[in-house]
């Protein structure tokens, strides 16, 4: 029996949605799967590559067994399923999982409502689950959209270009971030011929409504494997059309995440006004193979916790935020240059020159709204959806590890991140290296890739003082003209990374303001 929506007015959105969806899943033949909070640690240890985060909360039980607070539900279901080739199993679950949140650097309790179908699955079975994912999204909000892809399309192309396993990971990261410029640089460094590199860039950037995007993909399919993948996508789409679930579906080949987990179709759902994806899923037959089961499987999870965060679309000024494009500008010299760039392509907002302490400026005519924020906060505003796009230095972006799209290298604000020390400094490799920096994460990554043990001393400015006063051996900092180093008797030892200003976008905004963001990107490229 369906619930009368009026009777459920007192429930929070996540609770209401859970009840409605449980009723829907039961009607579709899915049964509730329940698991405890703890699992054998060994299960996750052995299948680390299938987990989003490698960090797991573990402890010893009184009998000495190593247990874990479960970071995932699908692994347990895959291990415990009794599905066979003749008898498929369908489960749904409402469970908490415990994962490291990259944005906060702390463990978070994440409430998930998920669904899994395991067995010898046909195209119609796979489409059935994607269809339920669409219905799940619509239950959350009518203003929702889903990205669909098949990881095989780009992986086939990458291997046909002779790119090995070791280089693949770096390329996939650029593809996930829609960072065409970084992808081009990496391919050039690998010595991939320009025509082949162009083809991969083009294929990776394909996204839009299903039918036209599919036509573009066909034109780029150079191997039988790629065409086979597109045939599978076509077949699933035909099934979705049959049940009327093809609306608000975007084909997007940049969706190539979690390749160890999802081996074929992959999809992700967004709701307007919520900054991060609220739903993620795909088929994970390769996990079943690891458990010795020759079966296929597909499932998804709805992140109920995401529905309870303050929703920009439902807060004051939400209508305006939906209609306007909000741009986060870094305060200061770079911000001035960026504003000039934006006003030069038609997004001017004269109020920005007024002598006051306002931080938000709007131009109703050009439908643009500028936020003036600290340079180090730009990526945070964009990642959390307070701004749709922003401009930020690559140094800050690297250090913040923000989950945003990096759409363009604007070629301004050029400098480099470098290791520097007092003139004549000689490193003592028998000692832990003391490094002063504001770029803690970049520094740790840089030295861990070189197997060098370091102690990081985090400073917020005037980093050059640290080696002078004996606070550190070296520094990792921005070098632009090099004047600050020279005047303090310091010199560069190594370059960590070149830096310039990047145009970034929120992943959800990219779905709902595609035309506006696409227009800016096009004009800036021009
Ligand atoms: C940055 C950086 C260096 C300086 C480098 O400092 O931290 O100190 O610029 O520029 P240069 O190579 O042209 O001399 P910033 O002005 O941002 O101040 P900070 O020391 O507070 O970080």
């Amino acid at each position: 029996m369906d619930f009368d929506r009026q009777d459920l007015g007192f429930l929070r959105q996540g609770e209401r949605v859970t009840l409605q969806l449980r009723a829907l899943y039961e009607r579709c033949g899915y049964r509730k799967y329940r698991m405890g909070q703890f699992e054998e640690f060994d299960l996750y240890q052995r299948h680390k590559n299938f987990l989003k985060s490698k960090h797991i909360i573990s402890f010893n039980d009184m009998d000495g067994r190593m247990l874990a607070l479960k970071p995932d539900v699908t692994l347990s279901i895959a291990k415990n399923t009794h599905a066979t080739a003749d008898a498929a199993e369908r489960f749904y679950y409402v469970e908490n999982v415990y994962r490291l949140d990259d944005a906060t650097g702390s463990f978070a309790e994440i409430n998930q409502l998920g669904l899994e179908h395991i067995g010898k699955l046909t195209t119609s079975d796979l489409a059935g689950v994607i269809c339920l994912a669409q219905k799940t999204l619509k239950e959350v909000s009518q203003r929702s959209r889903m990205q669909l892809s098949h990881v095989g399309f780009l992986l086939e192309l990458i291997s046909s270009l002779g790119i090995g396993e070791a280089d693949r990971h770096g390329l996939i990261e650029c593809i996930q971030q829609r960072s065409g410029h970084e992808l081009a640089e990496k391919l050039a460094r690998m010595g991939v011929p320009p025509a082949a590199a162009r083809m991969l860039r083009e294929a990776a950037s394909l996204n839009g409504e299903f039918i036209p995007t599919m036509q573009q993909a066909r034109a780029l399919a150079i191997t039988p494997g790629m065409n086979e993948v597109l045939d599978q996508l076509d077949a699933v789409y035909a099934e979705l059309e049959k049940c009327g679930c093809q609306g608000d579906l975007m084909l997007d080949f940049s969706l190539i995440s979690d390749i160890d987990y999802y081996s074929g179709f992959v999809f992700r759902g967004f709701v307007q006004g919520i900054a991060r994806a609220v739903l993620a899923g795909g088929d994970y037959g390769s996990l079943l193979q690891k458990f010795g089961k020759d079966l296929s499987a597909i499932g998804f999870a709805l992140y109920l916790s995401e529905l309870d965060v303050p929703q920009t679309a439902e807060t004051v000024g939400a209508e305006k935020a939906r209609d306007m494009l909000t741009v986060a500008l870094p305060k200061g010299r770079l911000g001035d240059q960026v504003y000039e760039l934006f006003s030069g392509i038609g997004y001017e907002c004269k109020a920005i020159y007024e002598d006051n302490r306002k931080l938000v400026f709007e131009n109703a005519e050009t439908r643009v709204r500028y936020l003036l924020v600290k340079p180090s906060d730009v990526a945070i505003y964009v990642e959390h959806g307070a701004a749709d796009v922003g401009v930020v230095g690559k140094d800050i972006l690297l250090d913040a590890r923000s989950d945003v799209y990096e759409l363009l290298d604007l070629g301004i604000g050029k400098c480099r991140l470098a290791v520097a020390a007092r003139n004549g400094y000689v490193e003592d490799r028998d000692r832990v290296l003391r490094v002063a920096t504001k770029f803690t994460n970049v520094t740790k990554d840089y030295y861990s890739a070189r197997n060098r043990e370091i102690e990081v001393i985090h400073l917020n400015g005037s980093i050059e003082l640290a080696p002078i006063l004996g606070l550190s051996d070296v520094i990792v900092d921005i070098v632009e003209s090099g004047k600050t180093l020279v005047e303090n008797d310091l010199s560069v030892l190594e370059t960590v990374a070149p830096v310039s200003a990047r145009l970034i976008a929120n992943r959800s905004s990219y779905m709902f303001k595609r035309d506006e963001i696409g227009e800016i990107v096009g004009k800036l490229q021009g």
Side-chain angles (χ1 to χ4, degrees), residues 438-439 460-464 477-485:
K438 352 181 214 209
F439 302 99
N460 292 306
S462 302
I463 319 291
E464 292 82 357
D477 199 21
I478 291 295
V479 179
E480 195 175 348
S481 63
K483 224 168 142 195
T484 314
L485 292 184

Side-chain angles (χ1 to χ4, degrees), residues 249-270:
L249 184 76
M250 317 297 274
L251 185 57
D252 188 334
F253 288 105
S254 78
L255 188 57
I256 188 177
S257 57
D258 309 324
I259 50 162
D260 278 350
Y261 202 119
Y262 297 125
S263 39
F265 292 102
V266 54
F267 46 92
R268 198 176 279 179
F270 291 88

Side-chain angles (χ1 to χ4, degrees), residues 253-454:
F253 288 105
S254 78
L255 188 57
I256 188 177
S257 57
D258 309 324
I259 50 162
D260 278 350
Y261 202 119
Y262 297 125
S263 39
F265 292 102
V266 54
F267 46 92
R268 198 176 279 179
F270 291 88
V271 166
Q272 190 164 26
I274 298 184
R276 301 201 277 197
V278 297
L279 180 146
D283 70 269
Y284 52 94
S286 56
L287 177 60
L288 271 289
Q289 317 291 324
K290 292 247 173 193
F291 287 107
K293 298 167 185 173
D294 186 21
L295 299 171
S296 32
I298 184 166
F300 63 83
L302 174 70
Y303 305 121
L304 293 165
S305 322
E306 292 291 334
L307 310 185
D308 278 338
V309 296
Q311 295 177 25
T312 50
E314 310 307 331
T315 50
V316 183
E319 286 300 326
K320 208 179 225 178
R322 262 205 291 273
D323 285 354
M324 294 192 116
L325 190 78
T326 304
V327 183
L329 287 184
K331 277 201 254 182
R333 209 164 52 86
L334 179 62
D336 294 345
Q337 284 183 61
V338 175
Y339 172 70
E340 291 302 324
L341 208 60
F342 275 66
S343 74
I345 55 164
Y347 299 93
E348 66 172 18
C349 179
K350 292 218 169 72
I352 221 164
Y353 290 120
E354 284 167 14
D355 186 18
N356 58 35
R357 297 184 68 86
K358 275 173 77 171
L359 298 170
V360 183
F361 301 91
E362 291 176 2
N363 182 343
E365 221 171 283
T366 52
R367 315 216 62 71
V368 70
R369 177 156 80 146
Y370 289 105
L371 311 179
L372 293 188
V373 305
K374 245 182 107 112
S376 52
D377 292 340
V378 168
I380 300 171
Y381 279 85
V382 174
E383 181 176 10
H384 292 270
D388 300 308
V389 295
V391 174
V392 61
K394 182 70 182 178
D395 50 336
I396 291 166
L397 208 48
L398 280 173
D399 207 57
R401 298 171 177 162
S402 306
D403 186 22
V404 291
Y405 290 132
E406 185 188 319
L407 302 177
L408 281 181
D409 180 349
L410 296 176
I412 54 174
K414 280 193 177 176
C415 52
R416 59 180 164 148
L417 262 173
V419 181
R422 270 173 301 140
N423 293 330
Y425 165 78
V426 180
E427 186 179 335
D428 177 357
R429 291 198 66 90
D430 283 342
R431 219 164 45 68
V432 173
L433 187 72
R434 287 173 309 152
V435 191
T437 188
K438 352 181 214 209
F439 302 99
T440 312
N441 290 326
V442 175
T443 301
K444 285 183 184 162
D445 290 349
Y446 182 75
Y447 283 104
S448 105
R450 282 155 187 77
N451 289 321
R452 181 70 169 107
E453 202 185 338
I454 59 164

